[in-house]
Amino acid sequence: MKLALILNVIDPKIGGVMIMGDRGTGKSTTIRAIADLLPKIPVVKDDPFNSHPTDVDLMSDPVQQLLSEGQSVNTSTMKVPMIDLPLGATEDRVCGTIDIEKALNEGIKTFEPGLLAKANRGILYVDEVNLLDDHLVDILLDSAASGWNTVEREGISIRHPARFVLVGSGNPEEGELRPQLLDRFGMHAEIRTVKDASLRVQIVEQRSQFDQNPYNCIEEWEDKQQVLKAQILEAQSLLPEVNIDFSLRMKISQVCGELDVDGLRGDIVTNRAAKALAAYSGKNNVDSEDIKKVIILCLRHRLRKDPLETIDSGTKVTQIVDKIFD
């Protein structure tokens, strides 16, 4: 789970993480904790969509218009946004709303940004994603596919960039996730309750220490946190230089072919994740060990479900990987 989240911070194009597992295993805690590791990003000052000052793909239309007219924009930096999407959120809260009254009376397009606007260039987290209403799932699918959110009301249309890393968590016992949405997640981690008594005691003790004195606890781990943050920043700068050999790319596609994975997302995400892991390890070239560490996370949720199959999908991936790579 931690590795999948860190790799998505290094390369947001991996496409997010779906974390499924038992109740009370620290899924939400871990996801919300990743916010402290996120670096600062350059943004256009006072822009509600966190527009990038130079990258056209990550700019809102008004900023693009200003630059095309030769005007300059003020810039600043902000922490990568981490936005929670509540299960009971309305469509207007998620997408944003247009003030129709102002538009009709004054002829001005006034847009009240929603959660998708705030999450642009950041992380959008949906807890209990398998309980999300279908109409909100459709909105997420549209935005994740196009990278833009379009709001249309009474013949008035406004759009803005909505490129975010989608992170979801849930308990499989509470309901299945729609296959279209599941396929949008780049990686899928399955969490099980720890059975080892000594580990359980360690977790309980750490939790008790945190409850008694949170600030001491944060201070105690501050150095390790800073080391991890620096490691992520180094990996982000190294990522463009990382290469993956053609023979390894062939093996990844062979695995996907043998597992009968639909589409090519599995191949693309595995290549990206392996590169991100190599960068995280400080290497310029991907090796087979990097691929083995990430391939289950990238393919487990893409296999066709057979109700009569007793074997776990992760084990199935491991068997094919061992056969092809060894």
Side-chain angles (χ1 to χ4, degrees):
M1 169 167 66
K2 283 163 71 176
L3 179 67
L5 288 166
I6 287 168
L7 295 183
N8 270 275
V9 173
I10 294 168
D11 183 4
K13 288 183 180 173
I14 286 171
V17 197
M18 177 71 222
I19 296 163
M20 280 295 207
D22 303 332
R23 287 178 288 272
T25 46
K27 301 186 295 293
S28 304
T29 309
T30 309
I31 293 162
R32 291 196 172 100
I34 202 84
D36 288 338
L37 300 175
L38 301 174
K40 290 198 168 185
I41 52 169
V43 291
V44 174
K45 204 172 183 182
D46 300 326
D47 181 78
F49 311 114
N50 311 328
S51 292
H52 196 287
T54 53
D55 189 340
V56 179
D57 285 342
L58 300 172
M59 274 180 206
S60 62
D61 290 340
V63 173
Q64 284 187 36
Q65 197 173 340
L66 280 174
L67 292 174
S68 66
E69 289 167 2
Q71 296 185 46
S72 61
V73 290
N74 294 326
T75 61
S76 64
T77 57
M78 66 176 281
K79 275 193 80 171
V80 171
M82 172 98 178
I83 305 296
D84 270 289
L85 180 85
L87 284 181
T90 61
E91 192 173 327
D92 284 352
R93 180 79 187 95
V94 176
C95 297
T97 55
I98 296 167
D99 190 335
I100 299 298
E101 196 178 337
K102 208 165 189 179
L104 293 174
N105 293 340
E106 300 173 33
I108 301 166
K109 276 188 189 178
T110 308
F111 182 64
E112 186 66 43
L115 295 175
L116 293 180
K118 290 177 181 171
N120 186 38
R121 300 179 64 209
I123 293 174
L124 184 67
Y125 172 46
V126 190
D127 196 6
E128 306 294 352
V129 66
N130 43 342
L131 304 180
L132 197 64
D133 281 346
D134 278 355
H135 72 283
L136 291 182
V137 170
D138 293 335
I139 291 164
L140 285 182
L141 285 171
D142 281 349
S143 299
S146 64
W148 289 85
N149 173 42
T150 306
V151 181
E152 299 202 2
R153 298 280 186 280
E154 315 297 330
I156 299 169
S157 178
I158 286 180
R159 69 169 203 156
H160 67 79
R163 293 175 187 270
F164 47 81
V165 174
L166 188 59
V167 178
S169 66
N171 181 355
E173 290 173 12
E174 290 166 5
E176 286 294 314
L177 198 65
R178 271 173 58 180
Q180 306 96 305
L181 185 58
L182 188 58
D183 188 51
R184 284 285 165 202
F185 288 97
M187 303 174 100
H188 185 286
E190 277 187 16
I191 309 302
R192 293 277 170 265
T193 306
V194 175
K195 297 285 188 279
D196 181 11
S198 60
L199 268 176
R200 290 174 80 116
V201 169
Q202 197 180 324
I203 293 165
V204 172
E205 282 176 354
Q206 277 195 355
R207 175 68 211 218
S208 302
Q209 282 170 14
F210 183 83
D211 287 342
Q212 282 165 13
N213 197 329
Y215 298 106
N216 270 8
C217 228
I218 290 165
E219 238 173 66
E220 189 186 329
W221 297 98
E222 183 62 29
D223 291 344
K224 282 190 176 180
Q225 192 93 322
Q226 290 304 325
V227 168
L228 184 53
K229 207 170 181 177
Q231 209 176 339
I232 288 170
L233 283 168
E234 278 173 35
Q236 285 176 330
S237 58
L238 180 63
L239 186 63
E241 297 163 31
V242 176
N243 295 308
I244 180 163
D245 197 62
F246 180 73
S247 63
L248 291 176
R249 294 204 298 270
M250 280 290 288
K251 285 181 177 179
I252 289 169
S253 291
Q254 265 182 280
V255 171
C256 293
E258 287 227 15
L259 288 168
D260 201 16
V261 173
D262 287 335
L264 294 169
R265 279 203 187 107
D267 307 53
I268 293 165
V269 170
T270 308
N271 276 276
R272 280 194 181 283
K275 280 185 174 183
L277 180 58
Y280 183 52
S281 309
K283 299 183 295 193
N284 284 75
N285 292 297
V286 173
D287 58 37
S288 56
E289 288 307 308
D290 296 324
I291 295 166
K292 285 178 183 178
K293 274 183 191 167
V294 299
I295 198 161
I296 295 174
L297 289 166
C298 299
L299 298 183
R300 173 193 270 135
H301 58 304
R302 301 181 194 279
L303 306 192
R304 291 185 180 181
K305 295 281 182 287
D306 182 353
L308 302 175
E309 190 81 76
T310 53
I311 190 170
D312 175 63
S313 53
T315 312
K316 207 172 175 183
V317 175
T318 308
Q319 287 174 354
I320 300 294
V321 168
D322 288 345
K323 186 177 110 180
I324 287 171
F325 278 84
D326 298 339

